């Protein structure tokens, strides 16, 4: 899924998809693993599967290009695919940034153009992006135990948030 989103804020949540994005306009704060990270224009961020995160706008609205990539897309690459843990922030000056940022922008252009065979172009650019991310310092394969704990915590948080969203207007009784 390819999204262009005006980001003002997004409450804490997690999802089973890998998310790769870049700030197109403005700046915002990403809260990831309880760390507040300021993202500027052209910074690339990665939200790993089941990683709890939120966004807060910094003043004016920011525009974000985000790719949510289901693990089915890359399941045949490796038996460890569920446990890929990519580096979270790639800044303008970082090695590999320009190619990664270029891949994301070109993929979005191809996706929205809907020219013949755009799916092949997008897939090749996303696979190249995954390859770049895998080779970056800070990327690793986590243990089965760490993956299970991360997944369980995220699913639990999502259930709590869903319950709150459904019942927030009900009176609270301490009986």
């Amino acid at each position: 899924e390819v999204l262009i989103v005006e980001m003002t804020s997004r409450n804490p949540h997690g999802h089973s998809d890998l998310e790769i994005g870049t700030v197109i306009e403005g700046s915002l704060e990403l809260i990831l693993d309880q760390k507040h990270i300021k993202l500027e224009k052209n910074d690339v961020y990665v939200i790993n599967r089941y990683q709890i995160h939120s966004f807060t706008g910094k003043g004016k609205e920011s525009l974000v290009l985000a790719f949510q990539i289901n693990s089915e897309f890359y399941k045949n690459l490796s038996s460890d695919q569920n446990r890929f843990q990519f580096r979270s922030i790639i800044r303008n000056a970082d090695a590999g940034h320009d190619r990664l940022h270029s891949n994301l922008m070109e993929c979005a252009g191809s996706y929205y153009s809907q020219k013949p065979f755009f799916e092949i172009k997008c897939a090749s650019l996303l696979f190249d992006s995954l390859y770049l991310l895998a080779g970056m310092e800070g990327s690793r394969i986590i243990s089965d135990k760490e993956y299970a704990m991360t997944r369980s915590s995220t699913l639990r948080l999502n259930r709590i948030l869903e319950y709150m969203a459904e019942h927030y207007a009900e009176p609270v009784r301490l009986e």
Side-chain angles (χ1 to χ4, degrees):
E1 188 173 12
V2 181
L3 310 163
I4 297 177
V5 180
E6 278 188 81
M7 187 68 71
T8 52
S9 69
R10 181 74 166 93
N11 290 328
H13 68 286
H15 37 74
S16 62
D17 294 338
L18 173 68
E19 181 175 332
I20 304 173
T22 186
V23 180
I24 299 172
E25 289 179 12
S27 64
L28 64 151
E29 186 174 72
L30 168 64
I31 297 122
L32 188 65
D33 296 329
Q34 301 177 357
K35 294 178 189 146
H36 294 252
I37 304 160
K38 185 172 183 181
L39 296 175
E40 301 286 346
K41 183 177 180 178
N42 295 329
D43 283 344
V44 175
Y45 68 87
V46 177
I47 312 289
N48 289 294
R49 297 183 71 215
Y50 299 110
Q51 195 170 26
I52 296 170
H53 60 285
S54 62
F55 291 97
T56 303
K58 302 305 279 177
K60 64 179 186 171
E61 291 184 352
S62 300
L63 199 60
V64 172
L65 170 64
F67 295 80
Q68 288 196 333
I69 306 168
N70 188 290
S71 62
E72 288 293 312
F73 175 73
Y74 54 89
K75 73 177 182 181
N76 293 326
L77 295 181
S78 165
S79 60
D80 297 323
Q81 62 86 16
N82 275 336
R83 299 182 295 119
F84 288 157
Q85 193 83 40
F86 297 112
R87 177 177 167 181
S88 295
I89 306 298
I90 299 91
R91 306 268 186 207
N92 287 324
D94 292 341
H97 170 275
D98 291 346
R99 185 165 141 201
L100 182 58
H101 186 267
S102 176
N103 281 356
L104 298 177
M105 299 304 287
E106 187 177 351
C107 183
S110 185
Y111 178 83
Y112 286 111
S113 76
Q114 300 283 299
K115 290 182 181 174
F117 310 112
F118 75 93
E119 298 95 337
I120 297 170
K121 181 67 172 180
C122 286
S124 68
L125 290 164
L126 289 176
F127 278 126
D128 187 55
S129 297
L130 292 174
Y131 173 75
L132 287 169
L133 288 167
M136 289 183 175
E137 184 178 333
S139 295
R140 64 193 181 98
I141 296 175
I142 61 174
S143 69
D144 287 333
K145 182 178 179 181
E146 187 177 352
Y147 171 77
M149 286 175 42
T150 302
R151 183 178 182 277
S152 175
S153 295
T154 300
L155 294 176
R156 183 171 185 261
L157 174 69
N158 286 344
R159 283 192 308 274
I160 292 167
L161 294 172
E162 287 170 16
Y163 180 86
M164 290 170 56
E166 291 171 10
H167 300 282
Y168 74 94
E170 296 174 11
V172 176
R173 294 187 185 104
L174 301 175
E175 298 173 347

